[in-house]
Amino acid sequence: MIFIVQQKESYIDRKVISIGVVRELTGLSDRQIRYYEERKLVFPERSKGGNRKYSFSDVKALVEIADKIEDGVQTHEIRQEKLKENRKIEQEKMRKKMLQGQLNAHFGLRN
Amino acid sequence: MIFIVQQKESYIDRKVISIGVVRELTGLSDRQIRYYEERKLVFPERSKGGNRKYSFSDVKALVEIADKIEDGVQTHEIRQEKLKENRKIEQEKMRKKMLQGQLNAHFGLRN
DNA sequence: CGTGTAAGGAATTCTGACACG
DNA sequence: CGTGTAAGGAATTCTGACACG
């Protein structure tokens, strides 16, 4: 018997962390963190007053970005990589969705 | 066959959220949030500059506290409840630990 | 290209107190 | 008891720019 455990994980993507905490969590400078945003590698939300709010996912991504840059990868290359990954993920989703559709057509299942 | 899935959940207890975000997340006023701390119902950490930092657990707890107060429960009663709960949890842990110790003594198992 | 820095201003948070009840 | 509020100050964050390379 197999149990598939679906993770809620509603926390990891909540944009609630200010840049100062991100600085401490990542060890990066404000300048770096803001620059990676400028290069469209992270997308913090903003408070009403305009202050950046990051998620734990963002924190993780920032560290990975910094690692790549340290390895000599340029920001636009990193962005391209991400786009490629996302496209792949989207394709995979679409593939599953279509398969589901076919199954439904044949067997009349509802999800 | 049984799979026991151990949750890392390293996010839920990280004290990274400033009081402004907590205010939005809970719908409570700063005054209420700080007062519940004064009554030792939540325990935010502090930034170097002295600013409060809360976890998602704290956010959840704050909502529950506010609900109870709205039901007429007083803060010191809520604190007593928590202490009782914690004691129960500690006992349970201790019980398991002792059971484990007995098993080890009998069968020479290491964990 | 990626990052440091000084500059001036705005948003955020802090504490202690008075008020009501 | 639990919460609102005005007060003054301190910590935090923002943007745009200059600098180096």
Side-chain angles (χ1 to χ4, degrees):
Chain A
M1 192 183 294
I2 298 175
F3 292 85
I4 296 178
V5 179
Q6 182 58 34
Q7 193 54 50
K8 291 185 197 175
E9 211 44 297
S10 63
Y11 302 118
I12 197 170
D13 287 319
R14 299 301 293 275
K15 308 269 189 176
V16 297
I17 311 177
S18 59
I19 197 166
V21 174
V22 174
R23 194 196 312 124
E24 293 177 349
L25 257 32
T26 61
L28 303 177
S29 69
D30 303 29
R31 188 65 167 94
Q32 289 175 298
I33 298 170
R34 295 203 189 97
Y35 181 65
Y36 301 159
E37 177 186 3
E38 188 184 321
R39 303 313 313 273
K40 307 217 178 298
L41 298 177
V42 282
F43 306 92
E45 292 182 356
R46 298 281 183 144
S47 70
K48 297 165 188 176
N51 285 21
R52 273 166 266 251
K53 296 298 174 189
Y54 299 85
S55 66
F56 283 110
S57 301
D58 293 331
V59 169
K60 193 182 163 203
L62 282 167
V63 173
E64 290 172 358
I65 292 164
D67 284 344
K68 289 182 184 171
I69 288 179
E70 204 164 15
D71 290 348
V73 186
Q74 294 197 337
T75 53
H76 75 270
E77 299 175 302
I78 299 175
R79 183 162 58 251
Q80 295 311 319
E81 287 176 26
K82 298 233 169 161
L83 288 174
K84 201 175 289 184
E85 282 174 37
N86 290 343
R87 251 176 278 142
K88 201 169 284 183
I89 291 171
E90 279 309 310
Q91 276 185 3
E92 187 62 17
K93 274 188 192 169
M94 187 58 79
R95 208 181 57 72
K96 285 186 181 174
K97 191 165 259 176
M98 291 183 68
L99 178 60
Q100 188 63 52
Q102 291 183 343
L103 289 173
N104 289 352
H106 279 289
F107 301 106
L109 298 176
R110 282 169 291 138
N111 60 336
Chain B
M1 193 183 294
I2 300 174
F3 292 84
I4 297 177
V5 180
Q6 182 58 35
Q7 192 54 47
K8 290 185 195 175
E9 212 42 297
S10 62
Y11 302 118
I12 197 171
D13 286 320
R14 300 300 293 276
K15 307 270 189 175
V16 297
I17 310 176
S18 59
I19 197 167
V21 174
V22 174
R23 193 196 313 126
E24 293 177 349
L25 257 34
T26 61
L28 303 178
S29 69
D30 303 31
R31 188 66 168 92
Q32 290 174 299
I33 298 170
R34 294 202 189 98
Y35 182 65
Y36 301 159
E37 176 186 2
E38 188 184 321
R39 304 313 312 271
K40 308 218 178 297
L41 297 177
V42 282
F43 307 92
E45 293 182 355
R46 297 282 182 143
S47 70
K48 297 164 189 177
N51 285 22
R52 273 165 266 251
K53 296 298 174 189
Y54 299 85
S55 66
F56 282 109
S57 300
D58 292 332
V59 169
K60 194 182 163 204
L62 282 166
V63 173
E64 291 172 359
I65 292 164
D67 285 345
K68 289 181 184 172
I69 288 181
E70 204 164 12
D71 290 347
V73 187
Q74 294 197 337
T75 53
H76 75 269
E77 300 175 304
I78 299 176
R79 184 162 60 251
Q80 295 311 320
E81 287 177 25
K82 297 233 170 162
L83 287 175
K84 200 176 289 184
E85 281 175 37
N86 290 343
R87 252 176 277 142
K88 201 170 283 183
I89 291 171
E90 279 309 311
Q91 276 185 3
E92 188 62 18
K93 274 188 192 168
M94 186 59 80
R95 209 182 56 72
K96 286 186 180 173
K97 191 166 258 175
M98 291 183 68
L99 178 60
Q100 188 64 50
Q102 291 183 342
L103 289 173
N104 290 353
H106 280 290
F107 302 106
L109 299 177
R110 283 168 291 139
N111 60 337

